[in-house]
């Protein structure tokens, strides 16, 4: 396991919107390396955090990092759509706040599970390795139509149909096994003038789409956020950080439709220039928050 640190994004804003100072029980639905949880625990000695992540490696890191907080933190290897089961196991009926810091973490991107377009790795992309479906299965087994649909819907890629056609043509020759094989196919399809000389790799959208599909990311959000919101006390806070426009649009709609909630962020809050300078990975972060006003 490579040693990589994931700097928690929009930390100050998260603590403010969660209203951590007043104490209580908080859920970190995307524990990751435990950066946000650590800050929440440090912000007030009266706070307890229940952390959830579906990635076993993230859980291992978080356990190590959060050990000094002893019984003030409980950690669960689960999907956040299972928050009801986690809280039942914990014997908790109500919470004061919940944080979703969505998407992949640094150690996914810099790890060896095929999340990156830049390095040669097996096409995997599973956040939870207990799951069967991998990116390799998606790329080699789905129909051309389904692939095009996924790449267009979850990647907003206008060359989706051409990319899908080329993937299917190539996999007939031999199975597509690695990140760079897939990245190269996309490179050959997307006109060079649209990406040559730029930092953004033309396959990033296709990779995002396949990752979202493999991990059922949107289904998790649709199920997990309303479920979590149900456990909030009046005055309790829901805070969600997203990293691309599709995800932000989805979260905006879910928050607007939550009954008994007041949205606290008319527009999504963006990271400060200073933060983006210090941590360029934070540049696309957008934070939305809501408060429970009635039961
Ligand atoms: C951006 S990272 C979180 C980083 C964390 N806030 C920190 O400060 O270290 C997102 C994490 O959420 C996890 N994750 C994504 N979707 C999930 C889901 N549906 N259920 C549980 N964990 C999920 C990923 O495995 C990843 O570790």
């Amino acid at each position: 396991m490579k040693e990589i640190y994931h700097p928690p994004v929009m930390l100050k804003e998260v603590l403010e919107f969660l209203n951590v100072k007043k104490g209580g029980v908080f859920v970190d639905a995307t524990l990751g390396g435990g950066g946000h949880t650590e800050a929440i625990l440090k912000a007030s000695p009266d706070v307890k955090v229940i952390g959830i992540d579906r990635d076993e490696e993230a859980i291992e890191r978080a356990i190590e990092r959060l050990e000094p907080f002893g019984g003030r933190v409980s950690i669960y290897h689960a999907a956040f759509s299972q928050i009801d089961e986690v809280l039942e196991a914990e014997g908790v009926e109500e919470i004061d706040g919940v944080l979703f810091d969505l998407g992949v973490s640094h150690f996914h991107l810099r790890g060896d599970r095929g999340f990156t377009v830049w390095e040669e790795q097996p096409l995997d992309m599973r956040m939870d390795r207990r799951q069967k479906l991998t990116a390799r299965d998606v790329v080699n087994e789905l129909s051309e139509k389904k692939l095009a649909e996924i790449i267009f819907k979850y990647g907003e890629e206008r060359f989706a149909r051409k990319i899908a056609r080329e993937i299917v043509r190539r996999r007939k020759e031999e199975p597509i096994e690695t990140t760079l094989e897939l990245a190269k196919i996309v490179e050959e399809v997307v006109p060079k003038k649209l990406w040559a000389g730029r930092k953004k790799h033309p396959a990033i959208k296709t990779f995002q789409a396949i990752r979202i599909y493999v991990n059922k990311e949107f289904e998790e959000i649709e199920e997990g956020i309303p479920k979590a919101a149900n456990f909030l006390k009046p005055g309790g806070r829901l805070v969600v950080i997203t990293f691309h426009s599709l995800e932000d649009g989805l979260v905006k709609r879910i928050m607007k439709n939550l009954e008994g909630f007041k949205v606290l962020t008319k527009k999504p809050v963006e990271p400060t220039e200073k933060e983006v300078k210090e941590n360029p990975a934070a540049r696309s972060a957008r934070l939305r928050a809501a408060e429970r006003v009635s039961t």
Side-chain angles (χ1 to χ4, degrees):
M1 198 195 296
K2 296 182 201 169
E3 215 30 72
I4 307 148
Y5 176 60
H6 177 99
V9 301
M10 303 187 75
L11 195 48
K12 188 167 158 275
E13 294 85 345
V14 165
L15 296 177
E16 271 169 27
F17 276 106
L18 279 179
N19 225 345
V20 171
K21 283 254 157 60
K22 70 175 182 21
V25 178
F26 290 82
V27 173
D28 184 346
T30 50
L31 183 64
H36 284 107
T37 285
E38 182 179 58
I40 294 170
L41 289 163
K42 279 184 177 164
S44 159
D46 302 327
V47 161
K48 185 176 172 338
V49 179
I50 299 161
I52 302 173
D53 204 294
R54 60 175 159 177
D55 183 327
E56 199 164 17
E57 281 180 22
I59 293 284
E60 282 168 16
R61 273 164 216 273
I63 288 176
E64 211 180 298
R65 180 175 191 168
L66 301 169
E67 208 216 59
F69 297 94
R72 291 178 60 209
V73 58
S74 305
I75 295 177
Y76 287 84
H77 184 202
F80 55 60
S81 59
Q82 297 169 292
I83 187 170
D84 46 352
E85 294 165 41
V86 168
L87 292 180
E88 198 187 331
E90 220 18 54
V92 166
E93 285 175 6
E94 279 188 325
I95 56 175
D96 295 84
V98 57
L99 169 68
F100 291 82
D101 175 20
L102 296 168
V104 284
S105 62
H106 278 211
F107 57 84
H108 282 141
L109 293 170
R110 309 247 176 92
D112 55 9
R113 273 188 250 171
F115 286 99
T116 177
V117 296
W118 301 108
E119 271 180 50
E120 182 74 326
Q121 294 174 5
L123 274 174
D124 185 328
M125 296 199 201
R126 287 170 302 169
M127 288 183 185
D128 187 340
R129 295 221 216 197
R130 295 172 298 187
Q131 167 187 316
K132 217 172 146 275
L133 184 77
T134 67
R136 187 195 178 282
D137 302 332
V138 172
V139 168
N140 289 287
E141 285 165 24
L142 294 192
S143 69
E144 182 180 324
K145 188 163 170 265
K146 185 74 186 166
L147 270 175
E149 205 181 286
I150 291 168
I151 298 169
F152 182 71
K153 184 172 168 198
Y154 296 139
E156 295 181 301
E157 170 57 83
R158 66 179 162 121
F159 298 101
R161 278 162 69 175
K162 279 192 177 166
I163 293 170
R165 195 176 314 144
E166 190 57 17
I167 289 175
V168 169
R169 194 182 73 77
R170 296 286 274 274
R171 77 187 188 194
K172 278 187 193 144
E173 294 164 10
E174 56 183 329
I176 301 160
E177 303 280 359
T178 71
T179 44
L180 290 190
E181 285 172 39
L182 178 62
K184 198 129 197 5
I185 292 172
V186 180
E187 250 178 47
E188 284 165 19
V189 172
V190 180
K192 219 172 180 144
K193 62 173 192 278
L194 296 178
W195 56 269
R198 298 186 196 175
K199 271 198 197 146
K200 215 169 167 184
H201 194 287
I204 281 178
K205 289 180 179 176
T206 300
F207 272 57
Q208 170 184 303
I210 295 173
R211 191 202 85 210
I212 291 174
Y213 182 80
V214 166
N215 294 292
K216 294 196 168 58
E217 291 183 27
F218 285 14
E219 291 89 335
E220 275 290 311
I221 293 171
E222 295 256 20
E223 193 179 339
I225 292 182
K227 251 190 194 175
N230 256 333
F231 285 94
L232 285 166
K233 293 177 183 164
R237 298 283 181 88
L238 163 68
V239 176
V240 186
I241 303 172
T242 61
F243 288 86
H244 52 85
S245 56
L246 275 175
E247 213 171 49
D248 181 55
L250 178 61
V251 169
K252 180 181 174 187
R253 176 173 62 71
I254 293 173
M255 272 196 186
K256 216 177 97 196
N257 292 334
L258 286 176
E259 265 178 52
F261 277 78
K262 181 174 88 184
V263 175
L264 303 172
T265 46
K266 223 170 168 188
K267 281 195 180 156
V269 181
E270 299 184 10
T272 59
E273 273 179 38
K274 184 171 172 280
E275 175 169 2
V276 175
K277 218 178 217 174
E278 286 165 7
N279 176 19
R283 83 191 160 275
S284 44
R286 300 289 178 268
L287 180 151
R288 292 185 186 269
E291 178 178 316
R292 178 157 218 159
V293 285
S294 61
T295 46

